Amino acid sequence: MDINTLTELLSTISSNVISIKDTKNFSTKLNNIINSYKQNPSNIIFITDFDYTITKRYNYQKNLTLNSSYRFYDESLIGGDQNKIIEIQNQLCNEYMKYETDNTYDKKIREKKVHEFYSKSLDVYINPKFTRNSIGKMLTKFKDKFELRKYTKELFEFLIKLNVPIIIVSGGVKEVIVDLLKTCIKNFEQYLSEKKIIIIGNELYFEEGKGCIGHSTNVIYAFNKSNFVKETIKNNFPQVKNVIVMGDHLNDFDSVQDLDINKNDIIGIGFVNIKPEIINDESKKDIIKKNVDEYNNVYDVNLIGDTDFNFVIKLLEKFT
C-alpha cells in the first residue's frame, strides 16, 4: 500500500476518530506485511486483547459504563448474596486498581500487587453452586452490560477467510470470552478446535457436583501477556514473521515484545476509549491530546472514541 492509497483510505474515516503519528512509516510497514502475506499467508498472525478492545467500554445511548469479563458474576442466580460479591469486588478494585493503572509504582511491586488482584478476583467465583452453565445464564441477565464492537463478526470472519490465525490474550475470564463470542460468530467453537482462534485467558475449573472448585494459578494480566503469547506462537505458529496487534491498554502492545520478530514487522492498533461527545470539547482538549500522544508513542494507528472495526477491516481488505 503506497502513501497515496493510505491517504485515500484515511479520507473515508472521520478524522477525529483516527490518529497516526507517522503516516509514511505506517504505510511502509503495512506494505511490507501485505507483501509478506502474499508470499505466504502463514507469515502473519493477528493478536488482540479482549476487554474494551473487542468489547466496547461505553453504551452512549443508555449512558452505561460496560462490564469487563470479570464483572459477570451474579450470585443471586445460584442462591447467594449478590450485594456481598459486589462489595468484595469493589474492595479489591479500591485496594489494587492503582497498581494496574499507575506506572509510577516500582515495576516489581506493581507486578506482585496486580497478580494478587487478579488471583483474589478469581477466588470470588469458587462456589459449589456455580457451574459452567451458570455463566450463560449470568451473561443473559447482564446482556445490557456487555457490547461487542460493531463489525466484530465481520472482522473475525474476514481474518478466517484470509487464513490468518487469531490469538485473543486477555486477563479476563476465558469462559466468559468464549460465551460472548460464540453468540456472535458462526462456527466459533469449530474455529477454536481447529486453532484458527486461540484464547489465552484466566480459566475457571469446574467439577461435576462440586461447581467451581478453583482457577488457573498462573494468572494473566496486562504486564505478563508476552510470556503466554510467545509460548503459544512457538507451539502453534513457529513460522510467523509478521504481527498485527490490537489493544486498549498501553501495556497490551507489550504482549508481542518477547517475540523474535523485528519491530518493523509489527503493526499496533490502539483503541483510545474516550467518550465521543467529549472529543470536540475544547475544555478537554489538552487532556485528550496528552492521552492520544501517549498512545501514538506505542501504537502505529489509534482509533479514538470507542469506535468500531470499520477501519481495521478496510486495512485487511488490502491483503486481498
Side-chain angles (χ1 to χ4, degrees):
M1 180 188 290
D2 60 30
I3 192 69
N4 292 329
T5 305
L6 179 59
T7 302
E8 182 181 342
L9 172 59
L10 293 174
S11 69
T12 68
I13 311 293
S14 175
S15 60
N16 68 343
V17 299
I18 191 162
S19 178
I20 300 177
K21 185 177 182 179
D22 188 336
T23 306
K24 185 177 180 181
N25 181 57
F26 177 52
S27 176
T28 300
K29 289 173 72 171
L30 185 60
N31 192 56
N32 290 340
I33 291 178
I34 290 171
N35 288 335
S36 179
Y37 169 80
K38 289 181 176 178
Q39 290 170 13
N40 187 348
S42 64
N43 283 344
I44 186 171
I45 198 161
F46 193 92
I47 299 173
T48 179
D49 172 52
F50 183 77
D51 289 317
Y52 306 140
T53 299
I54 297 298
T55 62
K56 294 189 67 173
R57 185 153 194 169
Y58 308 104
N59 181 311
Y60 307 104
Q61 290 74 29
K62 297 180 180 179
N63 196 27
L64 286 176
T65 298
L66 300 172
N67 286 357
S68 73
S69 58
Y70 266 101
R71 290 282 184 143
F72 72 95
Y73 192 60
D74 190 324
E75 198 174 49
S76 66
L77 288 178
I78 53 176
D81 185 352
Q82 177 63 8
N83 290 330
K84 183 179 178 181
I85 294 298
I86 293 173
E87 184 180 340
I88 292 171
Q89 290 177 325
N90 288 338
Q91 285 174 352
L92 289 170
C93 286
N94 291 336
E95 182 178 354
Y96 288 104
M97 185 63 77
K98 59 188 176 184
Y99 297 106
E100 185 169 21
T101 57
D102 189 345
N103 59 15
T104 61
Y105 286 100
D106 177 80
K107 184 178 179 181
K108 288 185 178 179
I109 293 175
R110 286 186 80 191
E111 290 180 352
K112 180 177 181 292
K113 292 294 186 181
V114 172
H115 188 282
E116 288 178 12
F117 180 29
Y118 278 66
S119 186
K120 289 180 179 180
S121 295
L122 290 166
D123 287 344
V124 170
Y125 308 132
I126 299 174
N127 186 323
K129 295 180 181 179
F130 176 45
T131 68
R132 177 63 181 87
N133 291 335
S134 300
I135 294 177
K137 296 175 183 177
M138 291 175 180
L139 290 176
T140 298
K141 181 171 181 178
F142 283 129
K143 63 182 179 180
D144 290 339
K145 296 290 283 182
F146 292 94
E147 190 174 334
L148 299 172
R149 288 190 192 274
K150 190 176 181 181
Y151 306 127
T152 292
K153 173 178 177 289
E154 289 79 1
L155 173 63
F156 276 75
E157 289 180 347
F158 198 82
L159 286 164
I160 297 295
K161 182 180 177 182
L162 290 173
N163 290 315
V164 173
I166 303 162
I167 295 178
I168 299 171
V169 55
S170 172
V173 177
K174 180 176 179 178
E175 290 80 5
V176 175
I177 296 170
V178 169
D179 283 9
L180 285 170
L181 288 176
K182 74 181 183 182
T183 63
C184 167
I185 300 163
K186 188 178 179 182
N187 301 323
F188 182 74
E189 290 176 305
Q190 179 185 334
Y191 296 146
L192 289 178
S193 66
E194 295 171 349
K195 294 190 175 180
K196 293 180 179 179
I197 300 173
I198 293 178
I199 300 177
I200 307 169
N202 293 308
E203 297 184 52
L204 300 176
Y205 300 148
F206 298 92
E207 190 172 315
E208 188 71 30
K210 295 183 179 180
C212 183
I213 60 171
H215 57 78
S216 46
T217 54
N218 192 13
V219 296
I220 304 171
Y221 47 89
F223 311 142
N224 71 347
K225 290 182 176 183
S226 60
N227 301 330
F228 296 92
V229 169
K230 183 178 181 179
E231 194 66 20
T232 301
I233 290 181
K234 177 184 175 183
N235 293 334
N236 298 281
F237 315 106
Q239 75 284 358
V240 162
K241 297 179 180 179
N242 311 100
V243 175
I244 298 176
V245 56
M246 296 197 313
D248 74 294
H249 194 291
L250 293 174
N251 289 105
D252 286 330
F253 188 82
D254 293 340
S255 64
V256 298
Q257 68 180 355
D258 292 329
L259 299 180
D260 188 22
I261 296 176
N262 190 294
K263 286 188 176 181
N264 290 328
D265 295 320
I266 298 172
I267 283 179
I269 301 174
F271 286 82
V272 188
N273 292 321
I274 300 170
K275 291 184 177 181
E277 63 264 29
I278 71 168
I279 290 176
N280 295 317
D281 186 338
E282 284 296 318
S283 67
K284 303 287 193 306
K285 186 177 179 180
D286 291 341
I287 297 173
I288 292 172
K289 184 180 183 305
K290 182 177 182 296
N291 196 6
V292 172
D293 285 347
E294 288 177 345
Y295 276 75
N296 278 339
N297 287 331
V298 174
Y299 294 98
D300 295 285
V301 54
N302 286 290
L303 302 173
I304 306 162
D306 210 9
T307 184
D308 56 40
F309 286 127
N310 182 37
F311 176 76
V312 182
I313 292 170
K314 285 183 178 293
L315 279 187
L316 292 171
E317 286 174 352
K318 302 305 176 184
F319 284 69
T320 62

